[in-house]
Amino acid sequence: LVCSWGFVALGLLEHLLLQRWLGQGRANIPRLALDIGRALAFIVVIVLTLSLVLGVQLSSVVISSTVASAVIGLALQDLLKNVIAGIALQGERPFDVGHWVEINRQTGRVVEMSWRATRVVTVDGDYIIYPNSLLAQSELLNHSLSSPVRAMHVQVGVGYSHPPNLVKQVLTEAALASPGVCRDPLPSIKLVQYGDYSVTYDIKFWLYSYDRYTEKRDAVMTNAWYHLHRAGIK
């Protein structure tokens, strides 16, 4: 009965102090941290109940739990690595659910972070599960952490007979006519290379969101073709 009321008290405490506090937007506690806090609180309630109510000696409990922990730790060392790495990742917060990240040359959106793994859905709809221990050692590029506005680059080659200022003006208009492209900052057109048969221009444009970036890049490339064709630029 004491143990049951202890669990009820912990539930009320969590509801009053955490959920209402979080509901006011004062903090954002990771789910993994909440789960660990609940587990530790439950262990404390059970140990206090055994000691104060049933009169069990804590020394015997500690010795038996130490031996059991050693056995379990050896059997579950890979799982423990992932759990510890998950705690480190959620503590440092290099990414969050909803962020667009690039891991091992795979770009996708983070959909879930759990004790063992992080789940990412790629732009092709593939569902990738990264173990937290592997993720903690990998090079990670976060496209959403600093700002939701992101820059992209595409390149196009035109003939030598066309003046660069005219080409830059036409390509700027093509980028601005594409959906999802920012007007502040404006697109930037740079001449980057003189090839054997063409002059290569780099189109740098900014997106309000990284969502559906392949379709937005396609729109810029398509508009570039039409605007160059209308301007008589080969």
Side-chain angles (χ1 to χ4, degrees):
L1 184 61
V2 172
C3 188
S4 299
W5 277 111
F7 292 154
V8 172
L10 289 176
L12 291 175
L13 185 65
E14 179 182 353
H15 176 73
L16 294 176
L17 294 184
L18 292 180
Q19 294 188 7
R20 290 192 177 184
W21 193 44
L22 294 176
Q24 297 177 2
R26 297 181 181 179
N28 184 16
I29 301 178
R31 191 190 72 178
L32 182 57
L34 291 176
D35 292 339
I36 294 175
R38 293 190 191 103
L40 294 177
F42 289 162
I43 292 174
V44 170
V45 170
I46 293 174
V47 170
L48 291 178
T49 303
L50 292 175
S51 176
L52 300 178
V53 179
L54 300 180
V56 178
Q57 295 295 328
L58 291 180
S59 58
S60 61
V61 175
V62 171
I63 293 174
S64 60
S65 62
T66 302
V67 176
S69 299
V71 176
I72 295 174
L74 291 175
L76 302 178
Q77 54 182 342
D78 291 336
L79 179 61
L80 292 176
K81 288 180 182 179
N82 290 324
V83 171
I84 294 174
I87 295 173
L89 289 174
Q90 295 206 18
E92 296 179 2
R93 306 302 290 270
F95 57 85
D96 207 342
V97 175
H99 285 183
W100 283 90
V101 297
E102 182 177 339
I103 306 170
N104 296 332
R105 298 184 179 180
Q106 287 280 355
T107 301
R109 186 176 184 179
V110 179
V111 295
E112 185 180 354
M113 300 170 61
S114 64
W115 287 67
R116 188 188 68 85
T118 298
R119 291 161 175 80
V120 176
V121 176
T122 68
V123 293
D124 296 327
D126 297 326
Y127 195 83
I128 303 179
I129 301 176
Y130 293 101
N132 289 331
S133 58
L134 175 63
L135 195 59
Q137 301 176 5
S138 301
E139 181 179 350
L140 185 144
L141 177 61
N142 193 324
H143 295 287
S144 306
L145 185 60
S146 59
S147 172
V149 178
R150 305 302 303 169
M152 293 199 68
H153 296 262
V154 295
Q155 293 185 347
V156 61
V158 302
Y160 269 92
S161 60
H162 308 293
N165 287 338
L166 175 61
V167 175
K168 292 180 180 180
Q169 179 183 353
V170 173
L171 293 178
T172 300
E173 294 173 354
L176 290 175
S178 305
V181 175
C182 299
R183 294 185 173 271
D184 185 20
L186 288 172
S188 175
I189 315 298
K190 296 290 189 299
L191 193 156
V192 294
Q193 184 180 4
Y194 290 104
D196 294 334
Y197 303 101
S198 64
V199 180
T200 303
Y201 291 85
D202 178 82
I203 308 173
K204 179 182 179 180
F205 57 95
W206 299 80
L207 301 177
Y208 291 109
S209 173
Y210 208 73
D211 294 344
R212 300 177 62 84
Y213 73 94
T214 54
E215 289 82 356
K216 297 173 183 177
R217 181 180 59 189
D218 171 75
V220 172
M221 295 290 288
T222 301
N223 283 339
W225 188 94
Y226 282 107
H227 280 69
L228 291 172
H229 183 73
R230 296 188 188 111
I233 299 175
K234 301 293 184 181

